[in-house]
Amino acid sequence: MGSSPSSYAPKTIYLNVDGKIQKVVFSRHCSPCDIKELLCSSSNIPRNSAIMMVDPEGAMVSIDPTMPPNSPNTLYKVVPLSTGQLGEKEDMFQNVLSQVAEQFSRAFRINELKTEVTNRLAMLEKRVELEGLKVVEIEKCKNDLKKLRDEMTSRVGGRVNCPCKYNFSDDGKKLTPRRDVPSYPKYTLSQETIEALKKPTFDVWHWEHNEMLSCLEYMYHDLGLVREFNMNPITLKRWLLGIQENYRSNPFHNFRHCFCVSQMMYGMIHLCNLQEKLTLTDMGILMTAAVCHDLDHPGYNNTYQINARTELAVRYNDISPLENHHCAVAFQILCLPECNIFANVDLEAFKQIRQAIITLILATDMARHGEILESFKQKVDSFDYANEEHVTCLKMVLIKCCDISNEVRPTEVAEPWVDCLLEEYFMQSDREKCEGLPVAPFMDRDKVTKPTAQIGFIKFVLIPMFETVMKLFPQIEEIMVQPLRDSRDHYEELKQIDDAMTEAQKKKTENMSLGGKKK
């Protein structure tokens, strides 16, 4: 059935922030975690703080997409929870540390306790890495560990050999990111998940950010990229965290979209047997470009940037301003030594990798769609994997396929993405109307429906591109191309129903009008 424009309206709530009214708008598809981050930012509270929200009478309000809306006359207030109380994990650490410190205080028994303390230190450091403490907890634990090490060194005149990967007492290695140690838990993926990750049918809606980070980490290990580029596994964790933190909480262009594109790339690598046809360096370029391709997307497309003469449009001379920005942010993160997954790559090789990643991210600008697809069509019938130009063109088409591949997925996975995209479009068109800028018809909430938005895109963009790729990889027809054809048919049926209902409503209105005139 056709959806009315109001069904895509984002939810709006109003906050009391230091006596001022703060308007907050978010998608009904946002997760509670995304909403909490948005509320923290709106209330000048540090990200990842524990918070609660109360109404004017002091009653707590649930923080999730179903929260009751309010008005400027009934303001909610976001209240940070006290951080003075220790959580269960910190209690555990404090108990262990207290026991160790108590045993150290016993004179003349230091040699007996040396082995036990070493083991406990190793356990604490490992748990700091795996359990993912917050910044405050990490700093406290580091200080306690340093005191223990200093005390042990002063008493026995030697240094304990730590089996852990990191030496927290080394003050010369301060880390610049917000978190010293990768702070997402290490998930052990089931065999079922590992197999599902290789397929376009993977349901991306059932995963939290921490789980998506672990899946991405697994992909890099599974493809042999960690070994090929001699990556420090902890650096890979830090890099992924840096990536996730630099995706905004937009309705569509967010970290979940980044994961979708990366998972589809991983799936296409397996489905098309690219590991047998391309180099491991090519695999690393494809995956890294997919992960980074929409970094710091502001939620307003290139057309808006150019028409509104934003800072990005001015900086990049109206030439793919967003894609150029995504590239710049990607390499700003990689420039941090603690996040540089290519730190152990030869300088000349890194230059080539960097240029290739830039080429792929810039290829995701849909303004270049026709040019790139036409170039690939000219090569596909006589494709040569030994020809660098052919391979580069293939990689550009692959990232384009992955970037706009939602309709390849099952309907229950794909359709919510349409809602998210339309919501982001409507937010932009509303802003363009307010600012007196041109509004694209396909983004106008008063003109577009879900079927009209999808039919043309599937028929004239997705199917022609995937059918061209199918010439090189026939195995994608059943798994990727046929679902696109089914999706096209699905939306055409919906449009027919919409048109019939519109026509019936029109006739009903006309009859009522004629009846009124007869009277």
Side-chain angles (χ1 to χ4, degrees), residues 382-516:
S382 57
F383 194 86
D384 181 5
Y385 285 99
N387 186 316
E388 184 178 347
E389 183 181 347
H390 284 212
V391 171
T392 297
C393 190
L394 170 61
K395 289 188 290 187
M396 293 167 72
V397 170
L398 286 173
I399 195 169
K400 283 176 59 58
C401 286
C402 296
D403 188 24
I404 54 178
S405 62
N406 286 326
E407 291 301 329
V408 170
R409 300 182 186 275
T411 302
E412 64 273 14
V413 180
E415 195 155 354
W417 280 117
V418 183
D419 294 333
C420 293
L421 184 60
L422 286 176
E423 189 161 337
E424 195 166 294
Y425 281 172
F426 295 158
M427 290 172 64
Q428 174 172 320
S429 62
D430 290 347
R431 181 167 180 171
E432 287 169 332
K433 291 174 184 177
C434 289
E435 296 178 4
L437 298 174
V439 178
F442 69 89
M443 301 179 77
D444 192 333
R445 69 172 68 245
D446 298 322
K447 298 179 180 178
V448 70
T449 65
K450 196 183 295 186
T452 59
Q454 290 302 95
I455 292 172
F457 188 67
I458 296 171
K459 286 175 67 174
F460 302 114
V461 177
L462 291 179
I463 291 179
M465 180 168 64
F466 276 85
E467 285 183 340
T468 304
V469 174
M470 187 177 72
K471 292 181 180 181
L472 198 58
F473 306 111
Q475 61 267 43
I476 75 168
E477 179 171 15
E478 180 182 353
I479 299 176
M480 304 187 83
V481 179
Q482 189 56 45
L484 289 175
R485 296 167 180 159
D486 294 341
S487 181
R488 173 199 59 199
D489 296 342
H490 167 69
Y491 282 112
E492 285 182 337
E493 289 175 5
L494 288 182
K495 185 176 185 302
Q496 289 175 3
I497 296 172
D498 281 358
D499 290 345
M501 292 184 64
T502 301
E503 185 63 27
Q505 184 63 38
K506 181 180 177 181
K507 288 181 179 179
K508 182 178 179 181
T509 303
E510 288 175 352
N511 291 335
M512 291 177 64
S513 177
L514 289 172

Side-chain angles (χ1 to χ4, degrees), residues 216 219-220 223 239-240 243 247 254-267 269 282-295 326 330 356-358 360-362 364 395 398-403:
L216 289 171
M219 294 176 200
Y220 270 73
L223 291 172
W239 175 71
L240 287 171
I243 293 295
Y247 272 91
N254 49 41
F255 179 65
R256 192 176 300 277
H257 168 66
C258 152
F259 176 73
C260 269
V261 176
S262 304
Q263 185 269 322
M264 187 64 74
M265 181 66 77
Y266 178 73
I269 287 172
D282 288 326
M283 300 295 103
I285 291 165
L286 285 168
M287 288 299 300
T288 305
V291 169
C292 297
H293 83 283
D294 269 334
L295 275 167
H326 305 326
I357 291 173
I358 291 172
L360 295 199
I361 294 177
L362 292 180
T364 61
K395 289 188 290 187
L398 286 173
I399 195 169
K400 283 176 59 58
C401 286
C402 296
D403 188 24

Side-chain angles (χ1 to χ4, degrees), residues 163-225:
C164 296
K165 297 176 182 177
Y166 279 91
N167 174 14
F168 289 103
S169 66
D170 187 353
D171 293 329
K173 293 184 179 180
K174 294 288 185 183
L175 299 177
T176 52
R178 282 185 278 259
R179 306 170 187 166
D180 262 359
V181 174
S183 61
Y184 61 90
K186 174 66 176 179
Y187 293 94
T188 300
L189 304 183
S190 67
Q191 191 60 38
E192 181 182 7
T193 297
I194 288 172
E195 291 305 314
L197 273 174
K198 300 174 183 178
K199 301 173 183 177
T201 52
F202 187 83
D203 191 342
V204 297
W205 294 107
H206 289 169
W207 302 81
E208 297 295 333
H209 281 189
N210 286 345
E211 296 169 320
M212 290 188 281
L213 286 167
S214 282
C215 287
L216 289 171
E217 183 183 354
Y218 170 80
M219 294 176 200
Y220 270 73
H221 282 279
D222 179 59
L223 291 172
L225 304 181

Side-chain angles (χ1 to χ4, degrees), residues 1-2 22 43 57 86 120 122 133 141 146 157 185 218 253-254 258 274 278 293 299-300 310 335 374 418 451 496 501:
M1 300 290 288
Q22 175 66 53
S43 304
E57 298 177 0
L86 296 175
R120 290 182 182 232
L133 299 175
C141 192
K146 187 175 186 303
Y218 170 80
H253 290 100
N254 49 41
C258 152
L274 293 180
L278 303 179
H293 83 283
Y300 301 93
T310 64
C335 278
E374 184 59 33
V418 183
Q496 289 175 3
M501 292 184 64

